[in-house]
Amino acid sequence: MISKKEKRIRLLLSIAGLVIFFGVWEMAVQMGFISSRILSPPSKVVSAFIQKLTDTKPEGATLITHFLMSFKLALSAFLAAVIIGVPLGLFMGQYKAFDRFLTPIFEIIRPIPPIAWIPIVILVAGIGMSGKVFIIFVAAFVPCVINSYLGIKLTSPVLVNVARTFGASDWQIFTKVCIPSSLNMVFTGVRNALGASWSTLVAAEMLASTGGLGYMIQMGRQLIRPDIILVGMLTIGCTGALLSWLLGLLEKKVAPWRYR
Amino acid sequence: MAVQKNKISMKNISKTFTTRTGDVSVLKDVSINVFENEFLVILGPGQCGKTVLMNILAGLEQPTGGEVVFADGTPKMGDLGIVFQKYYIYPWKNVMQNVELSQEVKGVDKKTRRESAQKYIDLVGLSGFEKSIPRELSGGMKQRVGIARAYATESDIMIMDEPFGALDAQTRYQMQEEILKIWEKKKRTVIFVTSNLEEAIYLGDRIILLGGSPTSVKAEYIPDMPRPRNYTSKEFLDLRNEIADNTDLAL
Ligand SMILES: Nc1ncnc2c1ncn2[C@@H]1O[C@H](COP(=O)(O)OP(=O)(O)OP(=O)(O)O)[C@@H](O)[C@H]1O
Ligand SMILES: [Mg+2]
């Protein structure tokens, strides 16, 4: 257990880190080390953020519209990747036939960075929703499969043997031993997938889109509005951090045995 | 123990592993008889193949030579109670769930298997800890879970592979006493593996000494002392020296 005092010190350290980071940034711009035409100070970003919540200028939509567009896109692709990728990885880890059949294909797809899919996807599916969903799906799919696969492979053989000496069937060993034992690895994979889908989203939107956070950032560059760019970036950063924190809470609920 | 009924016969068990660096012969012509309801100790130095022998007994591995004959017919998987070296209990299951698992995989209904599991949880002195998860238990308590879990298979043969090897001396003494109490309350055939000489003498009805390379049976001892045995009695020390003279155990 962590004592109250230690908790407070940890919180204080985290806050100090943020304060110093934004403080240095603010000072650097205010004192003229960096031109405010290139980099807006945090104070300006905050006011731009508040304004952009309701203002459609200059590129045509409010921050909330952009955000929801991106969020729906990333979330649907991410969920699809988890729903398909995790069971697939688990089965590949457990059953040799799956492993043999799918691993070669997977090994070829795996090293291709998600953004390298963009050109072919645009050719095939255009710049609509489905193309971007596919790219993000690929980005999130790979870590889901790998970690689930490894989670099964890393299951202690003795724990498997224990169940075997109880007379457990292969299916019981899979569901009662291997899957619970790999849950923590699965969660790590899902968390990586979340990060990957969120960052790939922006790349996809910057290249081909008519809306969304990536599009907003891209327009900010074209209109030379660093404050808009930074609002977009910070929205992405904060949302990512929030989602990953939520996922952590879920993990503690579903797989609490690793935590104190 | 007047008439001893044979429960298990290990006949000329040999095991050779084929590895990248060539064949490794671990066991050679190991023959051991196990009598019904006895507390048999198998004593051997580290790395001599004790776990391999137990795995063969449990049907987890096949011998490359010889056979294991069970008087009551070869048990199916699930018909042996096994306590594994170190405590291999499921970290995501609480004490109750760990102990009831063997009945669960057999499809026993929840109420029945909980009742039976509770009996063994009480037997090993873990009452009140049913809902604790392994992370919250001490090493000794975890090993008790392992023992309760093995007993809960309701098997009449218990295999215990260095169950106390990872415990500190104090807990170890306690558990030795405990395991004898449990055995006296619920007589079963126990095969207890250890590399600890004192532990062997303290516990065993009979002691089979393994040694050599590849490993075979070196000798058999019968500690003719009433229980509880006294570590410092003359008989105890005499037997200890006798066995020590005949072993390659690092002492
Ligand atoms: N699957 C395997 N392949 C190759 N060698 C093996 C295999 N399993 C065990 N061995 C070898 O057999 C020998 C005996 O191993 P075993 O685990 O049975 O020893 P042990 O007597 O139980 O030792 P300890 O007291 O440390 O538990 C070791 O040298 C080990 O390397
Ligand atoms: Mg061993």
Side-chain angles (χ1 to χ4, degrees), chain A residues 163-217:
Chain A
R164 192 160 284 149
T165 63
F166 288 164
S169 65
D170 284 352
W171 180 251
Q172 283 175 323
I173 288 177
F174 182 46
T175 54
K176 286 183 196 297
V177 181
C178 297
I179 292 181
S181 143
S182 51
L183 266 189
N184 289 120
M185 279 295 275
V186 170
F187 264 99
T188 309
V190 168
R191 203 185 322 235
N192 292 345
L194 188 69
S197 53
W198 200 228
S199 48
T200 310
L201 160 98
V202 175
E205 282 178 347
M206 279 168 76
L207 283 178
S209 193
T210 54
L213 291 171
Y215 173 77
M216 189 182 94
I217 290 174

Side-chain angles (χ1 to χ4, degrees), chain A residues 12-230:
Chain A
L12 229 66
L13 275 174
S14 303
I15 293 172
L18 288 171
V19 167
I20 291 171
F21 175 76
F22 287 107
V24 169
W25 173 4
E26 180 83 37
M27 302 259 284
V29 182
Q30 296 290 0
M31 293 166 72
F33 293 125
I34 305 169
S35 157
S36 61
R37 272 183 53 81
I38 301 168
L39 187 71
S40 309
S43 52
K44 182 96 187 298
V45 175
V46 170
S47 61
F49 174 82
I50 293 165
Q51 200 196 356
K52 198 73 186 95
L53 282 176
T54 50
D55 192 355
T56 58
K57 281 197 288 277
E59 80 298 331
T62 61
L63 178 61
I64 295 179
T65 314
H66 284 309
F67 173 78
L68 286 178
M69 208 166 152
S70 295
F71 191 71
K72 275 186 215 150
L73 187 66
L75 206 66
S76 49
F78 163 75
L79 287 178
V82 171
I83 290 167
I84 299 172
V86 170
L88 192 72
L90 294 173
F91 274 98
M92 278 167 69
Q94 186 79 3
Y95 295 100
K96 288 244 155 55
F98 270 90
D99 198 354
R100 297 263 154 72
F101 184 68
L102 292 169
T103 300
I105 314 169
F106 185 72
E107 284 299 318
I108 293 172
I109 292 176
R110 191 165 83 122
I112 305 173
I115 46 171
W117 287 85
I118 292 175
I120 188 74
V121 167
I122 291 176
L123 278 183
V124 175
I127 63 168
M129 180 89 171
S130 59
K132 271 172 284 182
V133 167
F134 178 79
I135 292 163
I136 299 162
F137 173 83
V138 170
F141 180 69
V142 171
C144 284
V145 173
I146 294 178
N147 277 271
S148 310
Y149 177 85
L150 279 181
I152 295 284
K153 288 281 177 205
L154 292 176
T155 304
S156 151
V158 185
L159 289 184
V160 171
N161 273 346
V162 172
R164 192 160 284 149
T165 63
F166 288 164
S169 65
D170 284 352
W171 180 251
Q172 283 175 323
I173 288 177
F174 182 46
T175 54
K176 286 183 196 297
V177 181
C178 297
I179 292 181
S181 143
S182 51
L183 266 189
N184 289 120
M185 279 295 275
V186 170
F187 264 99
T188 309
V190 168
R191 203 185 322 235
N192 292 345
L194 188 69
S197 53
W198 200 228
S199 48
T200 310
L201 160 98
V202 175
E205 282 178 347
M206 279 168 76
L207 283 178
S209 193
T210 54
L213 291 171
Y215 173 77
M216 189 182 94
I217 290 174
Q218 190 66 357
M219 292 313 284
R221 186 184 73 87
Q222 281 177 19
L223 301 167
I224 319 181
R225 284 286 300 275
D227 52 338
I228 300 268
I229 298 177
L230 289 166

Side-chain angles (χ1 to χ4, degrees), chain A residues 155-156 158-169 172 176-178 180-182 256-260, chain B residues 55 58 60 77-80 82 84 88-93 98 101-102 104-106 133 135 149-150 153:
Chain A
T155 304
S156 151
V158 185
L159 289 184
V160 171
N161 273 346
V162 172
R164 192 160 284 149
T165 63
F166 288 164
S169 65
Q172 283 175 323
K176 286 183 196 297
V177 181
C178 297
S181 143
S182 51
W257 53 86
R258 196 170 70 170
Y259 296 92
R260 7 190 119 246
Chain B
N55 282 346
L60 291 169
M77 279 294 175
D79 290 351
L80 294 175
I82 303 173
F84 286 80
Y88 277 106
I89 55 180
Y90 297 97
W92 56 87
K93 289 181 182 294
N98 261 289
L101 183 67
S102 64
E104 187 185 342
V105 301
K106 289 198 183 83
I133 59 173
R135 189 165 52 61
R149 187 175 65 178
T153 59

